[in-house]
Amino acid sequence: MPELPEVETIRSQLSERIPGRRIDTIAVYDEKTVSPLAPGEFEEAVTGQTILAVNRYGKYLEFPLRSGSAIALHLRMTGRLHWRPGSADDGTRFLKLELTFDDGSSLVFGDMRRFGRAWLLPEDGAARRDYWARKVGIEPLGAAFTAKVLEQVLDGRRGPIKPTLLNQSIVSGLGNMYVDEALFQAKIHPLRRAGSLATREIIALHRAMRDRLRVAVAHGGASIDSYRDGLGQRGSMQDYLKVHLHEGEACPRCGCVVVKTRVAQRGTYWCPTCQPEP
DNA sequence: ATTTTCCCCTGCCGGC
DNA sequence: TGCCGGCAGGGGAAAA
């Protein structure tokens, strides 16, 4: 599932290829992808526009256009975004959107489960900043995300730490997999009350979050099942996961058996020895 | 205000 | 062999 490292991998690849390109044609194969826009509205707004950059906000991608507007996109569970040098059909299935550029290259958005979405953002810069401010919280790989900041946003929260870290309006970019990995590395049980963590635990968690995300970016993300990068290739982070999807296997730190439980309606993997129950 | 539950969607897998 | 229920989890709406 695309989380921050997967989306960042795609952003990085697309940012080397797409900025400066003009959108010659756009095909919307599934109106649900751009709803609630009226049919034709998305095409009208982006055809002929030059893409200026490829940005990431949490798990969202943003493509600012010369008009001042921007395309926003979220891959959700099974979305794929592939750039290809030509427009020839590369067998991408479940096509939702297809853009062709002025140099003959193209970008396709496919999504098996139809959760992925694209939006048109307001042209007004202040409105755009407001849009992102309301949607996403702190960028965990940014310089502004310090252990002190993490301590401040967790302070007073009574909910379990796992769903708190999954809440994108607090810290933005971690999903089920990297939360499990970060909590394991920081030796924190997923059901600990977020506001009850000691300062040393918050420092360890902050370090673990950034470390796991950085390592995952370095490996091009994790291709657990459907994820592929912006060029259609698999990532390799799935080979470096320590507890996630490792139910019944030995914990790499203590040798104890990794268990799977359900926290916040999510399959949750953890080590009963390294991450003691609260 | 914060936290929890439900929903969307479809391929896949285990059980019978 | 084939059917079927349950599972997977991103985010957001709705409920608590």
Side-chain angles (χ1 to χ4, degrees):
Chain A
M1 314 303 159
E3 303 181 25
L4 185 153
E6 289 74 28
V7 180
E8 174 59 23
T9 299
I10 295 173
R11 186 211 62 77
S12 165
Q13 294 170 322
L14 297 186
S15 70
E16 293 173 9
R17 294 167 172 88
I18 286 181
R21 297 273 65 80
R22 190 188 67 234
I23 301 169
D24 277 352
T25 67
I26 165 137
V28 178
Y29 297 112
D30 184 356
E31 289 292 339
K32 177 181 157 75
T33 303
V34 295
S35 68
L37 294 182
E41 207 173 332
F42 193 83
E43 294 92 322
E44 169 72 21
V46 308
T47 303
Q49 287 295 321
T50 297
I51 293 177
L52 302 179
V54 187
N55 301 321
R56 180 183 59 76
Y57 295 90
K59 304 174 193 173
Y60 290 82
L61 286 170
E62 181 196 48
F63 304 84
L65 304 175
R66 181 147 292 159
S67 65
S69 179
I71 299 169
L73 201 141
H74 199 296
L75 301 173
R76 293 282 167 88
M77 304 288 291
T78 52
R80 291 193 195 178
L81 199 56
H82 293 176
W83 178 90
R84 52 201 192 188
S87 60
D89 183 4
D90 64 352
T92 305
R93 299 172 68 197
F94 314 108
L95 273 183
K96 305 301 165 205
L97 301 176
E98 182 169 22
L99 286 75
T100 63
F101 300 116
D102 54 354
D103 64 348
S105 64
S106 61
L107 184 67
V108 293
F109 178 32
D111 185 9
M112 178 178 78
R113 284 168 70 182
R114 304 177 71 202
F115 287 160
R117 289 294 169 89
W119 300 267
L120 280 178
L121 303 192
E123 294 188 8
D124 175 61
R128 280 253 295 289
R129 282 190 293 278
D130 188 53
Y131 176 88
W132 288 119
R134 275 184 285 107
K135 245 178 168 36
V136 302
I138 306 162
E139 161 63 37
L141 290 183
F145 183 60
T146 61
K148 197 77 188 167
V149 166
L150 179 60
E151 186 164 41
Q152 285 165 6
V153 298
L154 296 184
D155 184 49
R157 291 192 174 269
R158 302 168 53 80
I161 185 65
K162 174 158 181 176
T164 303
L165 293 179
L166 288 173
N167 183 339
Q168 303 297 298
S169 66
I170 300 173
V171 176
S172 167
L174 286 91
N176 200 37
M177 174 170 54
Y178 294 114
V179 166
D180 280 357
E181 292 296 299
L183 288 174
F184 168 74
Q185 182 154 317
K187 301 184 178 180
I188 295 170
H189 190 281
L191 286 177
R192 288 281 304 282
R193 303 285 128 185
S196 77
L197 298 184
T199 298
R200 62 172 173 77
E201 291 178 307
I202 290 173
I203 290 170
L205 178 58
H206 170 262
R207 183 191 299 262
M209 289 165 69
R210 287 167 69 100
D211 175 70
R212 288 300 90 193
L213 292 174
R214 284 207 189 99
V215 168
V217 169
H219 284 102
S223 288
I224 295 302
D225 39 26
S226 70
Y227 169 74
R228 299 293 183 277
D229 67 20
L231 303 177
Q233 304 298 308
R234 299 172 67 90
S236 61
M237 186 61 191
Q238 67 276 9
D239 298 333
Y240 301 91
L241 300 177
K242 293 175 180 171
V243 289
H244 191 75
L245 301 180
H246 286 271
E247 180 187 16
E249 298 175 29
C251 163
R253 191 159 49 207
C254 75
C256 187
V257 176
V258 172
V259 300
K260 178 185 182 184
T261 58
R262 209 156 173 82
V263 176
Q265 282 68 52
R266 299 287 183 264
T268 300
Y269 300 82
W270 50 285
C271 171
T273 305
C274 296
Q275 299 162 269
E277 305 243 10

